């Protein structure tokens, strides 16, 4: 199995980085990554990393950032690391400055090596003592030694762990990367600490890991679901299930475990068939809302498009030099198109509301909207349909 230290060279580690903003630190990290010798096109890789940041900051909190990129410009997986003693604003989820950064690069193939490494990094970085040792490392060699020792201990610990768990859990986040594994690690660590071991199944981008067996589910007292995405709970029919967010799993593992241990008093038994019906009802309601909205939008679009084109024509036909502040209305022909276009824009709200109302209550409702437009609106009355 590939380890973190197999992917990072001494030359791709910098323990004294200074930067004033996020863009600068990313640029420096990418330059550091090229020293691994696995980047074919540095500019393309930089674009990949920036694109990932646009989707959501990889500053996962507690002074840590794990930016990453996957693409054809990468010949082999690699990791670069840096310590930023003074910290830098990375738009992290907890608002804290980043002082420890790991940049990951992965080639565009099906192996998803970067996700496996990312999950292990996230797990190790949950340990405050581990983070502190990394930031206090005096040399690149010491930095690598600290990682290798911690990773080896963690892997050995998982092999020796007994398969007799009082509690079980599942963690999952929308991206299926860092927070999924951080929540799992926080819950497992706290379970060991208070003497109630808990097994956590992670559902991330690299697939389901540490999967719960049916035998374990039958023996478990309760199941903790710390997830911000939909989880299939069918296999937990008849068990007590505590559902919460992935952030709660990271920040409040002790409270969750203690609540799960008091399952008889605080957690209801999950019945799959009942919840299926609830889900179908919710989906029907959401589907109806979407249908009503789209009925209004569909009829409104011609007024938006047509009005916009007419206003654009008015600018095209007008003379800006006559009166810049009245551009679009200076000449009679321009004023004509601008006026008609403006009326279309004003009218589109009536069309939107009217056809949403029609979708909800058929023709009587659209009549109500027309009545409101002609009568109540002129008196500034508030009318609810």
């Amino acid at each position: 199995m590939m380890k973190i230290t197999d992917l990072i060279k001494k030359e791709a580690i910098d323990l004294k980085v200074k930067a004033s903003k996020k863009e600068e630190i990313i640029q420096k990290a990418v330059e550091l990554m090229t020293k691994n010798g696995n980047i074919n096109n540095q500019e393309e890789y930089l674009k990949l990393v920036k694109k990932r940041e646009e989707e959501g900051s990889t500053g996962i909190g507690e002074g840590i950032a794990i930016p990453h990129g996957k693409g054809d410009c990468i010949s082999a997986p690699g990791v670069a690391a840096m310590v930023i003693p003074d910290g830098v604003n990375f738009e992290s989820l907890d608002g804290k400055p980043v002082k420890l950064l790991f940049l990951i690069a992965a080639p565009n193939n099906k192996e998803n090596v970067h996700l496996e490494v990312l999950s292990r990094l996230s797990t190790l970085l949950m340990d405050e003592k581990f983070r502190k040792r990394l930031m206090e490392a005096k040399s690149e060699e010491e930095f690598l030694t600290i990682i290798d020792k911690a990773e080896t201990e963690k892997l050995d610990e998982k092999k020796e762990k007994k398969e007799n768990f009082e509690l079980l859990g599942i963690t999952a986040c929308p991206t299926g990367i860092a927070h999924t594994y951080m929540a799992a690690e926080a819950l497992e660590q706290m379970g060991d600490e208070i003497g109630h071991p808990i097994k956590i199944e992670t559902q991330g981008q690299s697939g389901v890991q540490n999967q719960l067996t049916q035998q374990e589910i039958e023996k478990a007292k309760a199941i903790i679901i710390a997830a911000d995405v939909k989880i299939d709970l069918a296999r937990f029919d008849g068990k007590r299930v505590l559902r919460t967010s992935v952030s709660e799993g990271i920040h409040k593992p002790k409270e969750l475990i203690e609540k799960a241990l008091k399952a008889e008093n605080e957690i209801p038994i999950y019945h799959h068939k009942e919840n299926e019906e609830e889900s179908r009802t919710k989906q029907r309601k959401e589907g109806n809302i979407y249908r009503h909205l789209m009925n209004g939008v569909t009829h409104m679009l011609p007024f938006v498009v047509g009005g916009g084109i007419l206003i654009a024509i008015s600018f095209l036909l007008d003379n800006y030099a006559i009166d810049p502040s009245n551009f679009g209305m200076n000449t009679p022909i321009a004023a004509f198109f601008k006026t008609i276009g403006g009326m279309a824009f004003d009218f589109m709200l009536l069309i939107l509301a009217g056809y949403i109302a029609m979708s909800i209550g058929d023709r009587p409702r659209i009549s109500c909207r027309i009545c409101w437009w002609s009568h109540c609106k002129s008196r500034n009355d508030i009318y609810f349909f």
Side-chain angles (χ1 to χ4, degrees):
M1 180 178 60
M2 188 172 285
K3 298 178 68 176
I4 299 170
T5 47
D6 294 329
L7 302 178
I8 182 169
K9 294 181 180 178
K10 182 178 70 173
E11 293 77 15
I13 300 172
D14 192 338
L15 304 179
K16 296 180 180 179
V17 180
K18 290 185 178 181
S20 59
K21 55 184 180 179
K22 181 177 181 177
E23 292 75 12
E24 184 181 355
I25 205 72
I26 289 176
Q27 178 71 46
K28 289 187 176 184
V30 168
E31 291 171 0
L32 196 61
M33 176 65 80
T34 59
K35 296 181 180 180
N36 262 332
N38 60 330
I39 305 297
N40 300 325
N41 187 318
Q42 182 175 312
E43 288 303 315
E44 285 300 314
Y45 178 61
L46 178 61
K47 289 179 183 178
L48 288 174
V49 176
K50 286 184 175 180
K51 183 179 179 181
R52 172 60 188 85
E53 289 301 318
E54 289 172 1
E55 295 172 2
S57 177
T58 55
I60 59 178
E62 302 299 332
I64 309 160
I66 313 179
H68 46 279
K70 178 181 179 181
D72 296 328
C73 59
I74 303 160
S75 59
V79 176
M82 52 172 58
V83 176
I84 309 109
D86 297 330
V88 64
N89 180 13
F90 209 84
E91 300 171 0
S92 297
L93 300 178
D94 61 358
K96 294 180 181 179
V98 164
K99 294 189 175 183
L100 188 61
L101 181 145
F102 286 88
L103 175 64
I104 297 175
N108 196 16
N109 54 39
K110 297 180 181 179
E111 294 179 5
N112 283 329
V113 174
H114 73 304
L115 295 177
E116 295 176 14
V117 174
L118 192 56
S119 68
R120 262 181 274 147
L121 263 178
S122 302
T123 298
L124 291 173
L125 290 169
M126 282 299 296
D127 187 341
E128 186 178 355
K129 293 179 180 178
F130 172 72
R131 299 196 301 266
K132 187 177 180 182
R133 286 197 297 271
L134 287 179
M135 288 188 283
E136 292 176 352
K138 303 299 182 185
S139 66
E140 291 79 6
E141 290 85 358
E142 183 183 353
F143 191 90
L144 287 171
T145 300
I146 292 169
I147 293 175
D148 188 53
K149 183 180 178 182
E151 187 176 18
T152 302
E153 289 176 353
K154 180 60 65 177
L155 292 171
D156 291 342
E157 180 184 312
K158 285 189 178 290
K159 288 179 182 177
E160 296 172 1
K161 217 166 196 179
K162 296 179 180 179
E163 297 185 0
N164 185 16
F165 300 97
E166 190 175 6
L167 300 173
L168 302 176
I170 294 178
T171 59
C173 64
T175 57
I177 306 180
H179 282 69
T180 297
Y181 304 102
M182 293 177 74
E185 181 65 11
L187 287 164
E188 288 179 347
Q189 279 187 359
M190 184 55 66
D192 292 339
E193 185 179 320
I194 64 178
H196 294 280
I198 178 171
K199 178 180 178 180
I200 301 294
E201 175 185 302
T202 55
Q203 296 187 9
Q205 278 198 22
S206 55
V208 175
Q209 296 179 351
N210 206 30
Q211 189 167 15
L212 307 178
T213 67
Q214 191 58 42
Q215 185 179 10
E216 289 169 338
I217 294 171
E218 290 173 1
K219 292 181 178 179
K221 188 173 184 178
I223 292 88
I224 299 173
I225 307 295
D228 295 330
V229 295
K230 185 178 179 181
I231 301 294
D232 183 5
L233 303 178
R235 53 185 160 154
F236 304 125
D237 186 36
K239 304 298 294 186
R240 296 189 182 273
V241 177
L242 171 59
R243 285 183 270 192
T244 186
S245 65
V246 72
S247 62
E248 292 280 296
I250 295 173
H251 301 295
K252 297 182 179 180
K254 187 175 182 180
E255 289 90 331
L256 292 177
I257 292 173
E258 289 177 344
K259 187 174 182 179
L261 291 171
K262 300 175 182 177
E264 289 83 356
N265 301 323
E266 301 188 23
I267 305 175
I269 293 175
Y270 174 79
H271 295 293
H272 183 57
K273 290 183 179 179
E274 290 179 7
N275 281 270
E276 276 188 331
E277 182 58 35
E278 290 174 6
S279 177
R280 283 195 293 270
T281 301
K282 183 179 179 182
Q283 287 174 0
R284 283 197 296 269
K285 287 180 179 178
E286 291 174 347
N288 288 338
I289 292 171
Y290 180 80
R291 190 181 73 251
H292 299 326
L293 177 62
M294 290 311 297
N295 190 63
V297 171
T298 300
H299 288 87
M300 179 187 75
L301 278 178
F303 292 86
V304 178
V305 176
I309 291 174
L310 291 172
I311 291 173
I313 292 173
S314 74
F315 291 142
L316 183 66
L317 298 177
D318 202 14
N319 187 342
Y320 182 80
I322 297 175
D323 183 1
S325 64
N326 196 38
F327 186 49
M329 298 286 287
N330 288 321
T331 63
I333 186 66
F336 172 78
F337 282 106
K338 182 75 178 294
T339 301
I340 300 300
M343 291 174 64
F345 270 26
D346 290 339
F347 205 66
M348 69 182 180
L349 296 177
L350 169 63
I351 298 301
L352 174 66
Y355 279 95
I356 289 176
M358 183 179 178
S359 179
I360 295 172
D362 208 356
R363 294 188 180 277
R365 284 297 186 186
I366 194 170
S367 300
C368 286
R369 296 308 302 163
I370 294 171
C371 176
W372 170 81
W373 182 264
S374 61
H375 176 65
C376 301
K377 183 176 182 293
S378 63
R379 298 188 294 109
N380 295 319
D381 288 350
I382 299 174
Y383 187 85
F384 297 95
F385 67 89

